[in-house]
């Protein structure tokens, strides 16, 4: 009998659970999603039907999923986390063989009427699995090489599959998301230092190999790196997107150009303005006030999660909450850094704001896990 | 796994420590993002705002060169010429009225024009450059260019404009282009962005309109960086457009030019068709007009002159003009009767100058009557009574079915404007059109191509080509596009017994070459070019009984517009037909006198591939014909070829 199960006397049951939900978190999530609806309405040129309305419906479904997940005891989720990981892995393999091609990459799987992106599911599955793994593992063994190697393999297998699609953004998210849980679980900092050193060395190798016989990346990938380093060098080619995005962002000023008044988005200068680059429209139309407000909402969500994590006495719950919050952080952090020109362009959407069904619903379900951990915390 | 209180606490401390570390890292990243945002949106906002508003990248369309149109020998019929124009972009001007008043000091412009221009500029989106002066001289152009810095928004431009180097000759076939209008746009779903360029030239009529999509080409793009005043600072990139497809017509320009010249001042039309494949070699309608006038914007005076001329120069009579085919229709009636086995070529029918049918008298053109005639003789002398008899045997529906088989009453599939369907009437047609029963008198009238029957010169050429070839030829006007030959499907057989065609052809031969030939004066003397044909004279008015009693007034005494139409169809050489020609001279009085000579001259010009040798004409006519050719003032073939190649 685990510590958790022995301390369950106080855990609420039945409909009483609704009182123990972390309501501020629900409100924050809804607020962020509402920003999304507003911006999707704007980039669609003032129409609801194009993107905003379908997004609202998905948000509704996602919310329902969140509550369903939240009301299910957290130990159930812990027990099936390995299964979830396996299912996600099988789906990823299926994409490899039967997937649909979108934007030059294989990402979707057609399951009857619905289209799923297994890589989205994997982002959460890896966090669940690693949280369960460290819950099971003796705290003293956490930093022993053999017990470090196992989670690394569990992270790298799906990462490899995602890279095959190819989807660099998701691959980065999987590695960082998994690493985050390992970090939270207390794996020795030496490991992280070593990995960072290796990565830096690798980046050097990649850059040095350019133009030689053993060139490590595709030419277009190098061009992306160039673009990142100096987007202005080729304002009409590869750097066009990022230059236009920065112009949109910067021209917002203090309070923006007004709702539906952004010339960059109106005049179609912005690429992918309803998905990855939606933040630029927000920044253009609502300025620094609007953009930093969204950043504050995100920070608020993180704060609630971290607080819930450190106060929760259950190891799985804490790690899961930290992992999900961390993944969420990676989403918006990478997206914003990307559109602000702090990072190369990788396809990562702005969570809960960018148009996209699977990502939004899975993210809300993941927050359901956070809620479940909160409701069913040992008292 | 057993967990003790101690390990739990230890793990909790560790998680809390790491969780807070994570929170710290996240806070640091969020702080960085916020700082970056602050830097971009607050410190560098003006810079970015300028990039977004003024100094941004703009995309300008490069209009493609419109496809050229050639004749079958490579003579340029429609080309593009450079012209200088002045445009204004409203967005880039601060005080529009001042700019225009400054501009008026550099180039001539009436106050009315200036007013019109202001209105146009206000109507268009501010980003669109509006042409304010077209076809300015080089001096005016350079004057504006030199003063450009003082005229914000004004751009002197060099553009391409349509030109028809062959003037009037092909105006009806080619049609013309004109500036795109709101009405044009309203008809097109999802219009090409090119069409949004004000005064963009769009095909309005004829081949220019029908092949618009092929001729237009695809727009190119220039990406330019412009400063806050909207002036182009530098060109960042350029993607050339695709020029429109070059179109080659089946028209033989020299022949076309000859036809028009030969028609002279008549209100008339000629169609020449290649009997072997259906190519339309000439399709002339006289008088013609200069299509260039329309491209440049025709003046009210010129336009009024064109519309008020009773010879209707704007109408393309070759495909739009519908005429009762008169006696040229007799081949249809004859062939229908032959095919039904209701007459044999040898059977003779008596003509006493009129036939009494259903209590009404129907006259033959020869009041004294022709006596006994067989099929060939009936065509040769164009006896009407013979056909009154045949038509009663066959009936209208079968006659009209034969007419349709020969291409009459069916809209020819040609890329020209307002191509007419013509009419081969049936009982059902009359019932649905007029709600009346078909009368025997209608049949009688139709048998000699009067009454309801209507055909254009194009129809008659198709009919003649089908009779001559025995194949269901379709007319072609487009020979190739961008060098790719337009496929011409093999014509199906006509489905008429060959011997019956032979009988009809024999009659048509007799019309020109027989002893009593109606068109005998228009025979071809050269043995290997001998021609067969049929004349026609169709009434444009009813001859009343009273009038007939008084004695029918001769055409020469009538005003021009009440005289009969003169028609002639022919093919040659008789033994191995190459060309079919149809001629309609409106109010030309008599087919044999007004239309047949034209038909012969056109046929000879086609056969000889230029001015025919004089020995093709009967010796007695050579002197007169020689004088006629000298007066025609034809284009020199050498200059046509040179001009064609240098333009291409």
């Amino acid at each position: 009998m685990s510590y958790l199960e022995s301390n369950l006397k106080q855990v609420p049951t039945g409909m009483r659970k609704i009182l123990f939900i972390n309501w501020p978190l629900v409100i924050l999530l809804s607020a962020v999603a509402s920003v999304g609806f507003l911006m999707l309405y704007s980039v669609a040129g003032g129409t609801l039907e194009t993107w905003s309305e379908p997004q609202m419906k998905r948000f509704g479904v996602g919310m329902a999923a969140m509550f369903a997940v939240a009301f299910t005891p957290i130990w159930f989720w812990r027990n099936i986390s390995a299964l979830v990981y396996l299912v996600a892995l099988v789906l990823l393999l299926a994409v490899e063989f039967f997937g649909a091609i979108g934007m030059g990459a294989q990402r979707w799987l057609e399951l009857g009427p619905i289209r799923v992106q297994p890589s989205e599911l994997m982002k959460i599955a890896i966090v669940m699995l690693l949280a369960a793994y460290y819950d099971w593992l003796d705290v003293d063994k956490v930093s022993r090489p053999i017990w470090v190697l196992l989670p690394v393999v569990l992270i790298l297998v799906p990462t490899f599959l995602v890279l095959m699609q190819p989807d660099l953004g998701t691959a980065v998210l999987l590695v960082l998301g998994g690493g985050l849980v390992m970090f939270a679980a207390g794996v020795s900092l030496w490991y992280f230092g070593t990995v960072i050193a290796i990565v830096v060395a690798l980046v050097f190798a990649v850059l040095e190999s350019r133009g030689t016989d053993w060139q490590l990346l595709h030419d277009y990938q190098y061009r992306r790196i160039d673009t990142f380093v100096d987007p202005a060098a080729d304002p009409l080619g590869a750097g066009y997107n990022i230059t236009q995005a920065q112009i949109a962002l910067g021209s917002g000023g203090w309070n923006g150009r007004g709702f539906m008044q952004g010339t960059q988005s109106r005049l179609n200068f912005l690429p992918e303005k309803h998905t990855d680059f939606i933040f630029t429209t927000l920044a253009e139309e609502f300025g620094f006030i609007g953009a930093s407000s969204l950043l504050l909402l995100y920070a608020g969500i993180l704060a609630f999660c971290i607080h819930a994590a450190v106060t929760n006495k259950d190891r799985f719950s804490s790690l899961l909450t930290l992992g999900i919050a961390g993944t969420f952080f990676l989403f918006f952090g990478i997206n914003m850094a990307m559109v602000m020109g702090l990072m190369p362009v990788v396809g990562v959407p702005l969570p809960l704001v960018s148009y996209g069904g699977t990502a939004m619903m899975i993210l809300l379900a993941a927050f359901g896990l956070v809620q479940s951990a909160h409701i069913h915390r040992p008292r | 796994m057993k967990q003790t209180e101690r390990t739990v606490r230890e793990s909790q401390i560790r998680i809390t420590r790491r969780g807070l570390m994570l929170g710290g890292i996240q806070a640091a990243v969020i702080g960085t993002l916020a700082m970056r945002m602050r830097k971009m949106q607050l410190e560098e906002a003006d810079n970015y705002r300028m990039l977004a508003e003024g100094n941004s990248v703009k995309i300008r369309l490069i209009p493609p060169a419109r496809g050229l149109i050639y004749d079958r020998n490579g003579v340029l019929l429609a080309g593009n010429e450079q012209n200088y124009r002045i445009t204004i972009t409203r967005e880039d001007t601060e005080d529009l009225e001042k700019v225009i008043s400054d501009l008026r000091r550099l180039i001539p412009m009436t106050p009315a024009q200036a007013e019109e221009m202001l209105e146009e500029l206000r109507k268009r989106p501010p980003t669109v450059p509006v042409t304010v002066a077209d076809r300015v001289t080089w001096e005016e152009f350079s004057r504006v260019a030199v003063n450009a810095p003082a005229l914000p928004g004004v751009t002197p431009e060099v553009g391409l404009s349509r030109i028809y180097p062959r003037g009037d000759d092909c105006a009806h076939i080619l049609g013309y282009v004109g500036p795109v209008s709101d009405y044009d746009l309203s008809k097109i779903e999802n219009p090409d962005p090119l069409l949004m360029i004000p005064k963009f030239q769009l095909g309005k009529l004829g081949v220019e309109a029908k092949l618009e999509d092929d001729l237009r080409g695809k727009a190119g793009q220039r990406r330019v960086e412009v400063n806050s005043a909207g002036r182009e600072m530098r060109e960042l990139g350029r993607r050339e457009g695709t020029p429109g497809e070059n179109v080659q017509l089946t028209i033989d320009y020299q022949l076309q030019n000859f036809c028009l010249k030969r028609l002279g001042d008549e209100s008339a039309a000629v169609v020449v068709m290649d009997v072997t494949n259906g190519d339309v070699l000439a399709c002339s309608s006289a008088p013609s007009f200069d299509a260039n006038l329309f491209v440049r914007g025709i003046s009210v005076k010129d336009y009024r002159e064109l519309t008020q001329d009773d010879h209707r120069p704007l109408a393309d009579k070759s495909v739009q003009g519908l005429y009762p085919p008169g006696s040229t229709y007799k081949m249809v009636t004859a062939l229908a009767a032959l095919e039904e086995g209701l007459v044999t070529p040898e059977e003779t029918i008596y003509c006493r100058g009129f036939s009494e049918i259903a209590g009404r008298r129907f006259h033959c053109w020869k009041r004294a009557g022709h006596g006994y005639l067989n099929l060939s003789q009936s065509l040769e002398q164009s006896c009407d009574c013979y056909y009154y008899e045949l038509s009663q045997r066959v009936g209208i529906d079968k006659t009209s079915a034969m007419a349709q088989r020969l291409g009459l009453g069916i809209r020819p599939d040609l890329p020209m404007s307002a191509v007419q369907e013509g009419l081969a009437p049936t009982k059902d047609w009359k019932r649905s059109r007029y709600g009346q029963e078909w009368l025997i008198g209608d049949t009688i009238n139709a048998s000699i191509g009067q009454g309801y029957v209507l055909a254009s010169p194009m129809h008659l050429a198709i009919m003649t080509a089908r009779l001559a070839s025995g194949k269901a030829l379709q007319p072609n006007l487009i020979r190739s596009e961008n060098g790719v030959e337009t496929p011409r499907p093999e014509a199906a057989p006509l489905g008429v017994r060959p011997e019956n065609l032979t009988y009809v052809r024999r009659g048509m031969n007799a019309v020109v070459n027989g002893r009593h030939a109606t068109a005998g004066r228009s025979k071809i003397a050269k043995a290997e070019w001998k021609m067969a044909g049929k004349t026609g004279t169709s009434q444009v008015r009813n001859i009343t009984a009273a009038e007939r009693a008084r004695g029918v007034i001769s055409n020469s005494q009538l005003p021009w517009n009440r005289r009969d139409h003169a028609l002639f169809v022919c093919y040659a050489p008789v033994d191995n037909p190459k060309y079919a020609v149809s001629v309609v001279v409106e109010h030309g009085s008599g087919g044999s006198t007004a239309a047949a000579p034209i038909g012969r001259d056109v046929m000879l010009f086609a056969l000889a591939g230029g001015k025919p040798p004089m020995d093709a004409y009967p010796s007695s006519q050579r002197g007169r014909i020689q004088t006629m050719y000298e007066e025609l003032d034809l284009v020199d073939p050498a200059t046509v070829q040179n001009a064609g190649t240098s333009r291409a």
Side-chain angles (χ1 to χ4, degrees), chain B residues 13 37 42 100 160 315 362 431 550 584 587 612 623:
Chain B
I13 289 166
M37 223 143 70
L42 302 185
I100 287 178
L160 288 177
F362 290 88
R431 212 173 292 127
R550 245 184 286 124
V584 174
H587 312 297

Side-chain angles (χ1 to χ4, degrees), chain B residues 466-633:
Chain B
R466 289 186 177 186
L467 285 171
S469 66
K471 288 186 278 189
L473 289 167
Q474 296 292 344
N476 310 305
L477 190 62
I478 308 302
R479 193 171 191 213
S480 65
E481 283 186 51
N482 259 8
V484 181
E485 200 112 344
T486 309
R488 282 181 295 214
E490 186 62 33
L494 204 48
V496 174
R497 273 194 288 280
E499 63 271 23
N500 289 341
L501 275 175
T502 312
Y503 301 141
V504 171
R505 288 182 196 144
R506 208 174 282 161
M508 290 177 76
N509 185 20
V511 168
V512 182
N513 303 310
R515 214 151 50 84
H516 301 284
T518 35
R521 281 194 304 154
S522 299
K523 71 158 64 95
I524 290 176
K526 215 171 156 77
E528 65 270 30
W529 285 352
K530 277 210 177 307
M531 176 171 86
K534 183 74 195 81
T535 59
T537 304
S538 68
Q539 289 170 10
V540 292
R541 70 208 162 92
N542 286 320
I543 299 175
T544 58
E547 217 181 321
R548 202 174 284 281
R550 245 184 286 124
V552 177
I553 312 165
S554 83
N555 265 301
S556 56
Q557 288 167 289
L558 284 168
W560 176 78
N561 62 1
R562 298 194 60 201
R563 292 177 198 169
D564 297 339
H565 294 318
L567 298 94
F568 185 64
V569 297
C570 60
Y571 65 85
V574 166
D575 305 319
N576 179 26
K578 274 197 179 127
Y579 304 112
V581 174
S582 68
V583 182
V584 174
V585 180
E586 285 188 348
H587 312 297
S589 300
S592 60
T593 52
I598 296 173
R600 173 177 63 175
D601 291 342
V602 169
M603 179 62 82
L604 279 173
F605 197 96
L607 286 167
K611 188 181 165 235
M614 277 304 124
D615 65 353
Y617 289 95
S619 52
S620 62
Q621 299 173 7
R622 284 174 199 165
R624 187 172 53 78
I625 298 286
Q626 185 67 46
T627 327
M628 182 200 78
Y629 273 106
E630 276 157 19
E631 284 169 3
L632 275 185
D633 180 34

Side-chain angles (χ1 to χ4, degrees), chain A residues 3 135-136 139-140 142 180 183-189 192 236 240 246-247 249-254 257 263-264 269 279 283 287-288 291-292 295 299 302 306 310 312-313 315 318-319 322 326 329 332-333 336-337 340-342, chain B residues 1-8 10-12 14-27 29-34 36-42 44-46 48-53 56-59 223 234 236-237:
Chain A
Y3 174 77
D135 184 41
W136 163 80
V139 180
D140 298 326
V142 159
L180 212 125
F183 180 88
V187 175
S188 167
L189 289 177
F192 293 97
L236 294 175
Y240 181 75
Q246 290 188 36
I247 290 175
L249 212 131
S251 64
W254 247 113
R257 321 197 79 183
T263 56
Q264 291 290 107
F269 277 111
F279 183 68
F288 181 71
S292 52
L295 201 58
L302 288 184
I306 290 170
V310 298
N312 200 320
K313 287 177 195 148
R315 190 168 162 81
S318 297
L319 287 173
L322 280 178
F329 160 76
F332 75 77
M336 286 186 179
M340 287 185 210
L342 293 172
Chain B
M1 175 95 6
K2 193 167 163 121
Q3 285 179 317
T4 63
E5 200 70 38
R6 194 189 61 80
T7 56
V8 166
E10 198 173 286
S11 107
Q12 254 234 274
R14 198 183 287 196
I15 285 181
T16 304
R17 203 193 306 133
R18 285 290 172 100
L20 290 176
M21 272 171 88
L22 272 178
I25 294 170
Q26 290 172 358
V29 170
I30 289 173
T32 310
L33 290 175
R36 172 78 173 174
M37 223 143 70
R38 202 185 75 89
K39 181 163 179 279
M40 286 174 81
Q41 295 196 292
L42 302 185
E44 296 174 0
D46 290 348
Y48 282 115
R49 182 74 59 106
M50 197 180 76
L51 281 173
E53 276 176 9
S56 63
V57 174
K58 291 197 177 168
I59 292 170
R223 292 176 131 159
R234 59 182 175 139
L236 297 169

Side-chain angles (χ1 to χ4, degrees), chain B residues 285-301:
Chain B
S285 175
S288 189
F289 62 94
D290 185 0
N292 290 309
L293 290 178
F294 285 87
V295 180
R296 286 168 197 160
I298 191 163
S299 71
V300 176
K301 178 177 153 286

Side-chain angles (χ1 to χ4, degrees), chain A residues 163-367:
Chain A
L163 272 178
M164 298 277 290
Q165 289 181 356
D167 184 351
L168 186 62
T170 303
V172 169
L173 278 175
L174 285 179
V175 170
L176 292 180
L180 212 125
V181 179
M182 290 175 73
F183 180 88
V187 175
S188 167
L189 289 177
W190 286 107
Y191 286 104
F192 293 97
T194 314
V195 167
I196 288 168
I198 290 172
V199 167
V200 168
L202 212 63
V203 166
F204 253 98
V206 162
L207 291 180
E208 285 300 313
S209 75
R210 185 175 190 181
T212 64
D213 292 341
W214 47 283
Q215 182 168 313
L216 293 170
L217 293 181
H218 288 293
D219 280 335
Y220 78 90
Q221 287 165 321
Y222 278 111
R223 278 197 295 279
R224 278 192 179 181
I225 296 173
D226 287 346
T227 304
F228 162 61
V229 174
D230 183 12
D234 181 16
L236 294 175
Y240 181 75
N241 290 2
I242 197 67
T243 309
Q244 293 305 328
Q246 290 188 36
I247 290 175
L249 212 131
S251 64
W254 247 113
N255 46 9
R257 321 197 79 183
F259 184 49
M260 312 244 316
Q261 299 299 315
T263 56
Q264 291 290 107
S265 0
R266 285 292 87 70
L267 299 176
N268 271 327
F269 277 111
L270 289 178
E272 301 274 4
K273 55 184 181 184
H274 64 295
T275 55
D276 293 2
F277 283 82
I278 196 162
F279 183 68
T280 54
T281 304
L282 173 80
E284 185 186 17
E285 298 192 348
F286 294 110
F288 181 71
I289 294 174
S292 52
S293 302
L294 182 68
L295 201 58
L296 271 179
L297 288 177
Y298 280 138
I301 291 172
L302 288 184
F304 273 105
C305 289
I306 290 170
H307 177 258
V310 298
T311 52
N312 200 320
K313 287 177 195 148
D314 177 43
R315 190 168 162 81
F316 174 73
S317 296
S318 297
L319 287 173
L320 184 68
T321 305
L322 280 178
I324 286 168
T327 304
F328 185 71
F329 160 76
L330 288 171
F331 266 114
F332 75 77
I334 291 177
N335 180 279
M336 286 186 179
M338 173 178 94
V339 299
M340 287 185 210
L342 293 172
M343 251 193 79
V345 174
V346 288
V348 175
L350 193 61
L352 301 179
V353 178
S354 285
Y355 184 74
T358 315
M360 168 173 255
M361 287 194 278
I362 290 191
L363 208 55
L364 285 173
F367 277 106

Side-chain angles (χ1 to χ4, degrees), chain A residues 3-296:
Chain A
Y3 174 77
L4 176 68
E5 277 138 357
S6 65
N7 286 279
L8 284 177
K9 291 180 276 301
Q10 314 268 308
V11 168
T13 52
M15 289 315 285
R16 264 173 45 76
K17 286 179 182 179
I18 211 155
L19 301 173
F20 290 84
I21 278 195
N22 192 341
W23 283 106
L25 188 59
V26 175
I27 289 162
L28 281 173
L29 291 172
S30 305
V32 171
S34 304
V35 170
F37 305 151
L38 201 65
M39 293 331 292
L40 287 172
Y41 176 82
S42 171
V43 293
T47 55
L48 274 178
E49 301 80 15
T50 324
W51 293 313
S52 206
E53 207 178 275
Q55 183 84 340
M56 287 180 190
K57 287 183 186 148
R58 286 160 181 171
F59 179 71
V61 175
M63 268 303 190
M66 182 174 114
F67 280 100
V69 171
F71 285 5
T72 311
I74 190 68
W75 46 91
F76 170 78
W77 296 117
R78 183 193 62 202
N79 292 345
I80 68 155
S81 53
L83 187 66
V84 172
Y85 177 84
L86 275 177
V87 167
L89 204 61
V90 168
L91 287 175
L92 268 182
L93 276 167
V95 166
E96 200 61 46
F97 293 112
F98 315 109
I101 310 284
M103 304 285 288
Q106 265 185 331
R107 292 179 189 177
W108 299 311
L109 203 57
E110 306 270 6
L111 286 183
I114 45 171
R115 206 163 62 172
V116 292
Q117 264 177 280
S119 54
E120 295 296 330
L121 179 61
M122 184 48 97
K123 287 172 196 165
I124 302 306
I126 191 89
V127 170
M128 285 174 76
L129 179 73
L130 291 182
Y133 169 78
Y134 284 110
D135 184 41
W136 163 80
L137 191 67
D138 200 332
V139 180
D140 298 326
K141 296 181 186 162
V142 159
S143 287
R144 293 200 190 146
I146 182 72
W147 298 111
V148 170
L149 191 65
L150 188 63
V152 166
V153 169
L154 291 176
I155 294 169
L156 289 184
V157 168
T159 303
F160 177 73
L161 286 175
V162 166
L163 272 178
M164 298 277 290
Q165 289 181 356
D167 184 351
L168 186 62
T170 303
V172 169
L173 278 175
L174 285 179
V175 170
L176 292 180
L180 212 125
V181 179
M182 290 175 73
F183 180 88
V187 175
S188 167
L189 289 177
W190 286 107
Y191 286 104
F192 293 97
T194 314
V195 167
I196 288 168
I198 290 172
V199 167
V200 168
L202 212 63
V203 166
F204 253 98
V206 162
L207 291 180
E208 285 300 313
S209 75
R210 185 175 190 181
T212 64
D213 292 341
W214 47 283
Q215 182 168 313
L216 293 170
L217 293 181
H218 288 293
D219 280 335
Y220 78 90
Q221 287 165 321
Y222 278 111
R223 278 197 295 279
R224 278 192 179 181
I225 296 173
D226 287 346
T227 304
F228 162 61
V229 174
D230 183 12
D234 181 16
L236 294 175
Y240 181 75
N241 290 2
I242 197 67
T243 309
Q244 293 305 328
Q246 290 188 36
I247 290 175
L249 212 131
S251 64
W254 247 113
N255 46 9
R257 321 197 79 183
F259 184 49
M260 312 244 316
Q261 299 299 315
T263 56
Q264 291 290 107
S265 0
R266 285 292 87 70
L267 299 176
N268 271 327
F269 277 111
L270 289 178
E272 301 274 4
K273 55 184 181 184
H274 64 295
T275 55
D276 293 2
F277 283 82
I278 196 162
F279 183 68
T280 54
T281 304
L282 173 80
E284 185 186 17
E285 298 192 348
F286 294 110
F288 181 71
I289 294 174
S292 52
S293 302
L294 182 68
L295 201 58
L296 271 179

